[in-house]
Each structure stands twice: as structure tokens, then as C-alpha cells.
Amino acid sequence: MACTTCSTSGGGSVKGCNNNGTCGTDSCNKLTVFDWLANMSLPNGEAPFDCVEVRFKNGRKEFYRNNEKLTLSIGDIVATEASPGHDVGIVTLTGELVKIQMKKKGVNHDSPEVQKVYRKASQKDIDIWSAARDKEEPMKVRARELAIMLKLEMKISDIEFQGDGSKATFYYTANDRVDFRQLIKDFAREFSIRIEMKQVGFRQEAARLGGIGSCGRELCCSTWLTDFRSVNTSAARYQQLSLNPQKLAGQCGKLKCCLNYELDTYMDALQDFPDFDTKLQTEKGDAICQKQDIFKGLMWFAYTDSFANWHTIKIDQVKEIIAENKQKRKVSSLEDYAVEVEVEAKTEFSNVVGQESLTRFDVPKRSNKKRKKKGGSEGEPVTAGSPKQGPNNRQRDNNRGPRPDGPRVERTGAKLQDRPARPQGERAPRPEGDRERKPNERGEGRPQGERRPQQNRERNRGEGDRKPEMRSEQKPQQTRPDARPQGEGQPQAQGQTPDGAPKKKRPNKNRNRNRDKGSSNEPTN
């Protein structure tokens, strides 16, 4: 429901009529009526109808007589008669359609009880009306607090001020009768205004407040539905709906009014179906109906001894079996009448590009685990203080800046020791007596330019061509003319010092670190 001026802008956003609730065509409001006689002129000598329809807050509409012969059109703000004082509303309908609406609602247009229109509202009337409307929301909050203090089982749903601000009407809902005499006294003392209490039903409350239904559209009761018919759970049973109160109840807490919309169609379709409690007698046993499909005209039956196996049968064939049973004859089995229901193939769309993935914009979280330090680029020595070179570390180092030169503080146990920075390009000397590297067979210590011995060639041969190696016996050490004396750059044998004496093993400090302080850490020979 929107007026002709509620179009969209170039960017797709809604412009709106910019009337702040006083739409010029009254098509943005609740319970609107389309004036399809607006472009038609009256016959000659025919006087226009002297009554108009005026809308107030939340769809409340009343009929007023235009005794002053004012030129009124849809959207005009008028001051109408009230008791006491006057009220302010918006004209929603004029002309011959008002007579039809009065007849529909059972109002006699010749009755003297029809109140009259005073005048078109002035700017002062509109200002007083707007100021009174601004007080309604905070007053509703305070009124609910007072009702809770008196422990009254009622809910104040809405407050409506009169146009001149002299009276306020409180709309409330309650399951039983409520004694609110003390509440009215508290309201009058708190707000210093005339108080009127009106009890409305739950459906009327939802119609006044409005909202969005489970179908995604505005509530029917707040847009076009005016008569509220009773809804029973039998309407849901005839339509074969699950009796789930959360699914069947609307915003008012009662059964949805839309359950009655298609009930007559379902009732007409069910007249062609056999009774749901009908039993089919076969030679294999009796069969009971389990399910019906009203649109396809199918019924599902199952034997009393095997309820898990259902057989689909058309309505005409069910009637044939019933006719045979009435003549006291049994059919052979339900399998002879069963129909194979074709399962419709589901169309599945493959996500080739990946645009439907909800996590395509998510960034993977960084791992907090420490990684081993990797070496730097070739030609640059790696020092103890150089950080890892990785994509994550580059970004982190750029944010925190370069590390200042100088001594670095290292935490060892509970003490802090200052260790001098090591100059780049130099390597700390190994202490004497430290474990030497094992001489390998690749020829470490061999002068440059000398060819690798022929042992590697023999490795690549087959196992049958290999010569047996004697691991238990030590091969005689061959001396080369260009070999250096032992101790001058040539690695020593494992387990010997440069002097040839047996080497003592170093104690394992890591293993002894977790021991008690009183235990002795003597090196083992």
C-alpha cells in the first residue's frame, strides 16, 4: 500500500511522500479505501454527499457531517466535534463512497448522532495536536509502571490524545475483568489530564499496532480486514496442517485469520474423497488410510500388521475396493492397485565461481605457534639477534620499527643477564674440549680442486657389484702428500683431543636442569 508519490530515487532508495504520516492520497495508511469515483463528476442538479470519513490514530475512523459546506478533499486536516472540546483528524474519503461505507458499517447518515466538522485545522491546532502526540510514548511507559505497581493483570497497549490535548484514551487488553478505579486516580494525579479507559480484544490490538506477518506482508487486520470471524482448529485439520500452535498462531496470540481463506475450497475438494477412517479388506489383511493428498487425489494405505509399508492408491481405485467390500468380497492385495509415484528430480545448481560462499571474505586466523627461525638470504650471515624473514614477520617488523643496537637482555630462569651484542659476520669460537664434528666421507678438509674419491661411484652400483664393507675392522689410514698434520685445520677423530688423549663427555645440562638443587651434577665418564 503506497501512494503515487512514494517512488524510488536514482539510487534505489525510497523517496516517500514526505508528509510525515499525513499522506496526501491516504494510501500509505491503514485500512485505506481507493476512491474510484474521484474522476467522475456528479449529474446536473445533484448535490454532493454531506458526510465525510475522517481518520485518527492507528486506523480509527469516524463519519462526520459537513454542515458548513466546506470544500474538503482527501488529505485535509480538519477540526471535528468531540466531547468535550474538539478533535483533529485527516479526511480519508469524500463523495458517494462515504454513503456506501456508512451502509456497510451500519451507520445511518440521517441520524442526529452523527457529529459535525467545525473547520479546517489552523496552524495553531496542528501545533497543539503534534505536541500532544509527542507525549504519548513516554506516558505509555509510565502508565505501564503504575499498572505493575498495583499488580493489575492488564496490558496497556496504546494511548491516544485528543486533538486539543484535553483528554487521553488508554487502550488495554486483559483476560478477565479488571478493577482499575485506583489506577484511574493515579493516572489523573500523575498526568493531570482527563482519563478514559477502553478495553480491546487481542485481534483489535494487533490491528491497531500493525506489523509484519509470517508471510512477509503487512497484517491483514491492519490493512484491509475489518470483520474478525472465529477460527477453529478444525480448519487446520481439514487443510492437513500440523497442529503446531507456534505455526498456527498470529501476532495476536490467536489462530491466524488466513486459515479461513481457503477452507471452503478444501471442503469442496474433500467431498470427492472417501472417509479417512475407511478400512479396506484384502486377502493379506485390513488396510488403514495413513495420508491424503487433496491436490493430486491420492491416498496412502498400510496393512495393520506392517504400518511401515505404505501403498499409494488413487481415489477411483479406492472407491472400487470399497464397492467390492460392500458386496462382501475381498480383493487380492493392495499391490495390484498401487501406483508408483514419480519423484521429481531436484535441480541442483553447482557453485563454480564460489560467489555463493558465505565465508569467501573471511581471513584465516594467524597461528600463534612459534615457528623455527629460518636462515637469511645467501651471502648474508645469520646472527643470533636477526628475526625470521617471512611475510608475517615483515609486516610485524615494519609496524614496530627496527631493533636498536646494543646489549640485549635475556631472561635465564629468574635472573636477567646482559649479554653483549655479537658483531655481524663473526662467529663465536668454540671452547676447547667441545665436541668436534665427525669427519664424513665427503672429504671435508680436502683441498679445493681435488677430485672426490671413487667411493661414491661404487655406491651407485647394484648391490651385487658392491664390495663388502668391513665395519668391524678399521681401514688403514692412507696418507696423501698434500695432507696437513693433525691439529692444523684437519678434524680430529671422534672421541680424541688434539693431543690424542681420550675425550671426556660433556654433562647434559638440559637433563639435569629439572633435578633438585641438592643433587650433584658430576660428569659421567
Side-chain angles (χ1 to χ4, degrees), residues 223-243:
T223 52
W224 61 272
L225 187 63
T226 55
D227 54 334
F228 300 103
R229 299 180 181 178
S230 61
V231 184
N232 300 324
T233 54
S234 60
R237 291 193 183 96
Y238 284 126
Q239 300 178 45
Q240 297 183 359
L241 300 175
S242 61
L243 300 179

Side-chain angles (χ1 to χ4, degrees), residues 383 385-387 401-409 419-424:
T383 60
S386 62
R403 180 179 292 176
D405 298 332
R408 188 180 65 175
V409 179
R419 186 169 66 182
R422 185 180 299 167
Q424 295 183 357

Side-chain angles (χ1 to χ4, degrees), residues 92-160:
T92 56
L93 198 62
T94 59
E96 295 296 323
L97 287 182
V98 180
K99 184 186 296 185
I100 299 175
Q101 290 293 323
M102 295 179 71
K103 183 178 180 181
K104 180 181 178 181
K105 295 184 178 180
V107 179
N108 186 9
H109 62 278
D110 295 330
S111 175
E113 297 179 358
V114 178
Q115 297 176 339
K116 60 182 179 180
V117 178
Y118 284 148
R119 62 185 181 277
K120 286 187 177 181
S122 62
Q123 186 62 37
K124 183 179 179 180
D125 296 334
I126 296 175
D127 294 340
I128 296 174
W129 177 48
S130 301
R133 292 285 297 269
D134 295 338
K135 298 178 184 178
E136 292 174 356
E137 195 63 29
M139 184 181 291
K140 182 172 66 175
V141 176
R142 180 56 182 165
R144 289 178 176 177
E145 293 177 357
L146 295 175
I148 293 173
M149 291 173 60
L150 295 177
K151 298 180 180 181
L152 298 177
E153 295 182 359
M154 59 183 298
K155 176 187 174 183
I156 298 175
S157 59
D158 193 18
I159 297 177
E160 182 181 358

Side-chain angles (χ1 to χ4, degrees), residues 176-192:
D176 300 325
R177 294 179 59 90
V178 180
D179 185 7
F180 47 79
R181 289 176 292 182
Q182 183 62 34
L183 182 63
I184 293 177
K185 296 179 182 178
D186 295 343
F187 283 171
R189 182 171 58 254
E190 180 74 20
F191 306 126
S192 300

Side-chain angles (χ1 to χ4, degrees), residues 7 17 33 80 121 143 161 197 270 322 359 406 413 442 449 497 511 525:
S7 58
C17 54
V33 178
T80 61
F161 262 92
M197 303 290 292
L270 285 174
I322 294 174
T359 60
R442 294 185 180 180
T497 60
R511 183 178 62 188
N525 295 330

Side-chain angles (χ1 to χ4, degrees), residues 429-498:
R430 297 178 91 102
E432 188 175 356
D434 194 6
R435 181 181 296 177
E436 299 293 340
R437 291 186 300 176
K438 182 178 180 180
N440 52 15
E441 296 178 0
R442 294 185 180 180
E444 292 185 2
R446 184 172 63 252
Q448 296 181 358
E450 186 176 348
R451 192 173 183 181
R452 184 175 297 178
Q454 201 172 356
Q455 295 179 2
N456 295 336
R457 297 181 182 178
E458 296 178 359
R459 286 180 186 173
N460 298 330
R461 295 177 183 176
E463 294 182 359
D465 298 336
R466 279 188 189 174
K467 296 180 181 181
E469 297 182 359
M470 300 177 63
R471 297 184 180 180
S472 60
E473 298 180 4
Q474 295 182 356
K475 296 182 180 180
Q477 197 172 16
Q478 298 179 0
T479 60
R480 296 192 300 272
D482 55 349
R484 297 180 183 178
Q486 190 175 5
E488 298 181 7
Q490 185 177 3
Q492 294 86 8
Q494 184 179 6
Q496 294 183 1
T497 60

